């Protein structure tokens, strides 16, 4: 009964065509089929946020989507943010400068949640930032430095515009 | 864990959806936003052998305003309800409540139809459907029928839909003239399922008398729970604090039947219901009064 289905999708601007089993989660597809291991997997039931990616530009849990559903769609993962390690995205740079991570497990999911958030809210208050972070769990930092990093990013991204 | 294998179909029209369902019967499940179904499949709580994905059925994802109603396709995303101008203007209760559903990452995928059919007693949308007197359109291969929200919810995670029916459309009547609204809930953390919540509507007549009241609770029984007797205590009267207090006591002590969970005991849930009833009634009343001047 292992039906294989052909999918064609764009990930970080590159088009991929693959045959996948229908039950393969998009998170596993990104990690195992494409080797994009920046997308992390924690809970596989939508709660931790580690697997958050952009699905047609909107944040979504890749653990709650089947790869076959991404056929014809555009996915962005954390690997799509920076051109190379010397040219980080201002959001990544801010996490570095403000110590917004310790082990880094939660970071890719947080970055991919904050990209659309900052686009929709270029001048967020601390309250709005905390609210926006509530869908991502971090077991290390205590969140304060993550909040600082997002605030710093909103300032950097304003200047860079 | 990973889901068990299944056969996958991604039809483009309602017609094809109904054919597939007819063909596969009880073996097949509909996949909407997947935000409740996929976690359950990942944990193998459910193992459907066929999935009929509704995400490519474009004709199910509309939100359109008509003369006295808003029509919403069952595949409209929760996130789209949140930012829709017709909903904001004509069903402000819904507009106020949607941001309480989960997180943006979940609302980007989760659909109105999926949440309604899932019929989780802790979910916001079933409560809102009841409060707003929504009508729900179901289809199967032999035809279609309309159900009132009050006849739709049939208990814990159960609805009046027959297994071969798909929910296609939700009809939301505009708020009546001189209606105030309020939605409040208390959750352990923003985005979590709430320990208690209430959707409240108050409609006044020109003499400030209460014409109609709606008080509908989440996590207060085996489905959305309407406090009909508490509503009756208020209807026909000019509402004062004393009446609000007795309605809140009656609803929270006599009409809801919360079960308690790891976050809140039954007593605490009743306490929250009492407090939220008072607060939402006051806010709804004030908003209704503002429309009178
Ligand atoms: C971390 C997290 C937090 C959440 N918090 C909340 C919350 O606070 N409040 C809340 O209300 N919800 C919450 N949810 C659930 C979320 O709102 C879901 O999106 C919603 O309950 C189900 O909608 P869906 O479109 O994802 O449906 P799916 O998961 O795809 O489907 C749910 C069920 O409905 C059936 N179904 C779907 N569409 C139809 C249709 N048109 N006709 C017939 N049957 C259909 C499916 O077969 C399935 O059995 C949360 C989810 C997650 C993962
Ligand atoms: S792995 Fe997807 S939300 Fe936790
Ligand atoms: S930095 Fe370790 S989980 Fe967030």
């Amino acid at each position: 009964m292992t039906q294989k289905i052909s999918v064609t999708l764009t990930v970080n601007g590159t088009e991929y065509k693959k045959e996948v089993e229908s039950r393969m989660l998009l998170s596993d597809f990104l990690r195992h089929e494409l080797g994009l291991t920046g997308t992390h997997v924690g809970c596989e039931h939508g709660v931790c946020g580690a697997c958050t990616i952009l699905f047609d530009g909107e944040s979504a849990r890749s653990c709650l989507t089947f790869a076959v559903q991404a056929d014809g769609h555009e996915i962005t993962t954390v690997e799509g943010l920076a051109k190379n390690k010397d040219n980080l995205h201002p959001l990544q740079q801010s996490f570095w400068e403000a110590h917004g991570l310790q082990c880094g497990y939660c970071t890719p999911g947080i970055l991919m949640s904050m990209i659309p958030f900052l686009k929709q809210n270029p001048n967020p208050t601390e309250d709005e930032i905390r609210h926006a972070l509530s869908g991502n769990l971090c077991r290390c930092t205590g969140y304060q430095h993550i909040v600082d990093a997002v605030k710093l990013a909103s300032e950097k991204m304003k200047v860079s515009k | 864990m990973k889901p068990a294998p299944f056969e996958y179909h991604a039809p483009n029209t309602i017609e094809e959806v109904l054919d597939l369902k007819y063909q596969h019967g009880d073996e097949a499940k509909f996949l909407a936003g997947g935000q409740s179904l996929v976690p359950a499949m990942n944990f193998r709580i459910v193992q459907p052998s066929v999935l009929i994905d509704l995400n490519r059925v474009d004709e199910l994802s509309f939100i359109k305003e008509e003369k006295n109603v808003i029509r919403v396709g069952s595949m409209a995303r929760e996130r789209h309800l949140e930012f829709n101008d017709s909903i904001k203007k004509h069903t402000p209760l819904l507009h106020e409540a949607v941001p309480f559903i989960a997180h943006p990452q979940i609302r980007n995928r989760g659909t109105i139809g999926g949440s309604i059919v899932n019929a989780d007693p802790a979910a916001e949308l079933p409560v809102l459907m009841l409060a707003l007197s929504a009508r729900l359109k179901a289809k199967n291969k032999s035809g279609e029928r309309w159900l009132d929200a009050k006849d739709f919810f049939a208990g814990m995670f159960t609805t009046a839909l027959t297994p071969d029916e798909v929910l296609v459309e939700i009809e939301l009547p505009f708020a009546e003239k001189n209606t105030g609204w309020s939605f409040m809930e208390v959750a352990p953390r923003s985005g979590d399922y709430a320990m208690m919540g209430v959707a409240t509507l108050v409609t006044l007549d020109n003499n400030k008398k209460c014409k109609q009241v709606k008080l509908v609770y989440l996590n207060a029984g085996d489905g959305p729970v309407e406090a009909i007797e508490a509503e009756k205590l208020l209807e026909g009267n000019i509402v004062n604090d004393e009446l609000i207090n007795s309605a809140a006591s009656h609803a929270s002590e006599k009409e809801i039947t919360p079960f308690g969970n790891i976050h809140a005991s039954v007593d605490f849930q009743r306490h929250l219901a009492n407090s939220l009833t008072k607060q939402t009634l006051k806010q709804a009343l004030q908003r209704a009064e503002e429309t009178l001047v």
Side-chain angles (χ1 to χ4, degrees), chain B residues 22-289:
Chain B
Y22 181 77
Q23 195 182 323
H24 295 285
D26 290 354
E27 300 283 290
K29 255 194 168 306
F30 298 119
L31 172 63
Q35 305 300 292
S36 295
L37 181 58
V38 180
M41 289 177 65
N42 286 352
F43 284 94
R44 302 210 179 181
I45 296 165
V46 290
Q47 305 189 11
S49 56
V50 178
L51 272 194
I52 303 172
D53 187 351
L54 304 177
N55 284 280
R56 293 185 198 269
V57 187
D58 292 341
E59 57 186 316
L60 285 178
S61 58
F62 56 89
I63 302 181
K64 60 179 187 236
E65 183 180 327
E66 285 182 1
K67 197 152 161 262
N68 296 308
V69 297
I70 299 170
R71 299 195 179 280
V72 184
S74 59
M75 283 301 290
R77 310 278 171 193
E78 291 161 344
R79 193 71 169 156
H80 292 158
L81 305 178
E82 189 176 345
F83 294 108
N84 183 275
D85 289 334
S86 301
I87 287 176
K88 184 172 176 186
K89 181 156 179 227
H90 298 296
T91 56
L93 177 69
L94 183 59
H95 175 77
E96 178 160 286
V98 170
F100 287 95
I101 305 169
H103 312 283
Q105 299 95 322
I106 308 293
R107 294 199 293 279
N108 280 334
R109 301 287 302 163
T111 65
I112 185 171
S115 177
I116 293 172
V117 176
N118 202 44
D120 184 332
E124 286 82 2
L125 284 167
V127 162
L128 293 159
M129 292 307 109
L130 201 57
L132 294 167
S133 307
R135 295 202 313 144
L136 308 162
K137 183 159 101 177
K139 265 194 177 176
N140 64 9
K141 228 174 127 59
S142 45
E144 61 179 52
R145 60 175 178 144
W146 283 96
L147 292 108
D148 288 337
K150 69 174 169 36
D151 302 320
F152 188 82
F153 299 102
M156 194 72 84
F157 298 102
T158 314
T159 73
L161 289 185
T162 56
D164 63 340
E165 281 179 317
V166 62
L167 178 66
V168 289
E169 184 181 318
I170 295 96
E171 179 190 273
L172 301 165
F174 285 6
E176 220 183 302
K177 208 164 97 241
N178 304 330
T179 297
W181 69 95
S182 180
F183 181 87
M184 293 185 194
E185 65 173 45
V186 181
R189 202 170 51 121
S190 90
D192 286 355
Y193 282 103
M195 299 180 277
M196 180 53 62
V198 56
T200 300
L201 289 173
V202 175
T203 307
L204 297 177
D205 68 16
N206 289 328
N207 306 314
K208 284 197 171 186
K209 258 201 204 136
C210 228
K211 223 167 93 184
Q212 198 190 33
V213 180
K214 286 279 175 192
L215 289 168
V216 190
Y217 297 79
L218 61 79
N219 224 341
D222 62 6
V225 177
E226 182 172 357
I228 293 170
E229 291 166 14
E231 293 168 357
K232 292 243 158 62
L233 287 175
L234 301 165
E235 284 165 359
N237 291 300
I238 291 184
V239 172
N240 55 27
D241 280 358
E242 202 181 323
L243 271 178
I244 288 180
N245 289 345
S246 41
S249 302
H250 193 85
S252 60
E253 297 303 324
K254 300 277 189 318
E255 290 192 88
I256 63 170
T257 52
F259 305 124
N261 60 33
I262 51 164
H263 299 296
S265 65
V266 171
D267 280 351
F268 186 50
Q269 285 184 292
R270 289 194 193 278
H271 168 80
L272 290 174
N274 188 307
S275 171
L276 292 175
T277 307
K278 289 182 207 161
Q279 291 179 56
T280 55
L281 274 172
K282 283 177 192 166
Q283 184 172 50
L285 201 59
Q286 194 193 339
R287 284 169 166 170
E289 278 168 5

